[in-house]
Amino acid sequence: MTNTNSLQSSILRDRFVAVMEEANRMRETIEADQPVRNADPAFRAEMLTLLGQATIREDEARARAEAEANKKNRWLAAAAGGALLTVGAVVVGPALAVGALNLVGFSSVGPVAGSLAATIQSIFYGGAVGSGSIFALCQSAAMGGIAVGSAAEIAAGVAALGAGAAGLLSGMGGPDNNDGDAAGSDNDDNPRVN
């Protein structure tokens, strides 16, 4: 059995020597590859820098587009708010006017006795109120000269006023509304990188 062990040892030694000789021959190739391996991290770093700058430029373009869209949306909100305010005023205005006239004493049948309206009539006009005078116009409006909508129409008008005010205010912008250019603004949270 010693011959078998000796033979196996000899085979292993020969293989080891062959592998070592092959490694020595490849050393030149491995050493020649070292500059390539050294350049690889630098190349990767440069590519990451370039990709980062491209990403920053894309982010700036996206931010500018979003700012422009927000500006258009704010303008639309203000325009819609103004329109709703107008509609609400047209619907609610006559009801408010008749209510105010009723408070001072103008009613659907004439001035209420003892009211401010009756006092004004007796002091300034007596029994002869001139046609087209302010007193006559107020009494005419209180007697039905102003078309007042139903309760549902007035409620819709009030809702339109509220929505219109909200739309107008949001369109005009608040303290946290930034009309500046998103890229390169004075905001230090997102500094511009060239």
Side-chain angles (χ1 to χ4, degrees), residues 9-100:
S9 288
S10 174
I11 293 172
L12 285 174
R13 184 176 28 91
D14 290 343
R15 282 187 185 168
F16 178 76
V17 169
V19 167
M20 291 305 291
E21 287 173 354
E22 183 66 26
N24 281 333
R25 280 192 301 271
M26 293 182 68
R27 183 176 36 187
E28 288 180 17
T29 305
I30 292 170
E31 288 173 355
D33 190 42
Q34 190 61 38
V36 173
R37 283 187 284 147
N38 289 343
D40 185 50
F43 175 75
R44 287 182 187 169
E46 182 66 21
M47 288 305 296
L48 289 175
T49 301
L50 291 173
L51 290 173
Q53 288 176 354
T55 301
I56 290 170
R57 288 187 185 105
E58 289 170 2
D59 290 346
E60 288 174 350
R62 188 177 309 112
R64 277 192 296 275
E66 287 174 5
E68 191 62 32
N70 286 340
K71 189 182 282 187
K72 288 177 186 175
N73 289 342
R74 286 191 310 269
W75 185 88
L76 288 172
L84 285 170
L85 280 173
T86 302
V87 167
V90 167
V91 172
V92 174
L96 290 176
V98 170

